[in-house]
Structures are given as structure tokens and as C-alpha cells.
Amino acid sequence: MFIEIEPESTVPIYLQLAQQIIEGVAKGSLKPGDSLPSVRSFAADLGMNMHTVNKAYHYLEEKEFIQIVPKKGVFIHEKGVRKASASDRQRLSKELRPIIAEALCLQLSQEDIELLVKEIILDLKEVK
């Protein structure tokens, strides 16, 4: 799995790491049951602080994308790809709302926003 961190980004590094792991699950390059490196190993490979990787892992564990099994490792959660629950939909709506508001402030039409979403979905589903 290729991880690219942008140190100059306004997005915190732990969140960039978590988002790229979620993207790997969405693209199918990471499948339920696949193992991820240990916190120490991942931090060393990426040249980042162990606390940053640990924070990303706990963020992903809270959202049920990974499962941390003591003394065994970190795995992509069996529920990593699942039907959205009502609370999942509510959370996603809350997270998307400010992005869509910004898009409207930038005078993107509904059609522009829908096209943008379709392009992102196609990119995520593109077999590489």
C-alpha cells in the first residue's frame, strides 16, 4: 500500500493516514482480514511519530475500519465494507454538509457537485 503524506496540508497527518487507509479499503486494495503494520513499524516506514500512527489507528478502530487485536496485530475489520447504518448516514451527512456548503459558495451548481462526486466514485472504483 502506497501512503503519501503532505506535510504542508491543513489536514492533520494522522487524518491523512487514516483517510488513505479508508481509501485503500474502498478501492479494494485492502480487504477485510488483511493485516496492517504495527504502529512502530508503520511509523518507522513513514518517518513519522508513533503517536501519529497510533492516533490514526484509534480513529480507524472507532469507525470500525480496522480491528486491533492485542498481541496479534492490526487487521482490516470484517465490517470495513458494510451497509451504512442510520448513524453512519447521519455522520456522513454532517461531514459532507460543510463541504457542499463551500462548493455552493464557490458557485458550483448541483450538477457540478454531482459530477464531481461521480468522478471521485469512478476514481475509487477504478481497477489498478
Side-chain angles (χ1 to χ4, degrees), residues 1-9 11-21 23 27 42 45-46 48:
M1 182 173 66
F2 182 74
I3 300 289
E4 186 176 5
I5 300 298
E6 296 178 25
E8 306 301 322
S9 172
V11 178
I13 292 173
Y14 86 91
L15 200 50
Q16 291 182 51
L17 177 58
Q19 288 171 341
Q20 290 184 45
I21 291 171
E23 192 167 318
K27 287 182 170 181
F42 219 175
D45 289 348
L46 296 172
M48 64 176 56

Side-chain angles (χ1 to χ4, degrees), residues 22-80:
I22 292 170
E23 192 167 318
V25 173
K27 287 182 170 181
S29 59
L30 291 173
K31 299 186 180 347
D34 284 353
S35 64
L36 292 175
S38 69
V39 168
R40 183 180 305 270
S41 173
F42 219 175
D45 289 348
L46 296 172
M48 64 176 56
N49 189 304
M50 286 184 359
H51 296 295
T52 303
V53 175
N54 198 37
K55 191 171 182 177
Y57 275 5
H58 284 292
Y59 175 85
L60 292 166
E61 185 180 37
E62 184 180 303
K63 291 183 179 266
E64 292 188 317
F65 283 105
I66 66 168
Q67 185 173 21
I68 300 171
V69 181
K71 298 183 181 179
K72 291 193 175 181
V74 180
F75 303 93
I76 300 299
H77 201 291
E78 294 300 323
K79 295 180 180 175

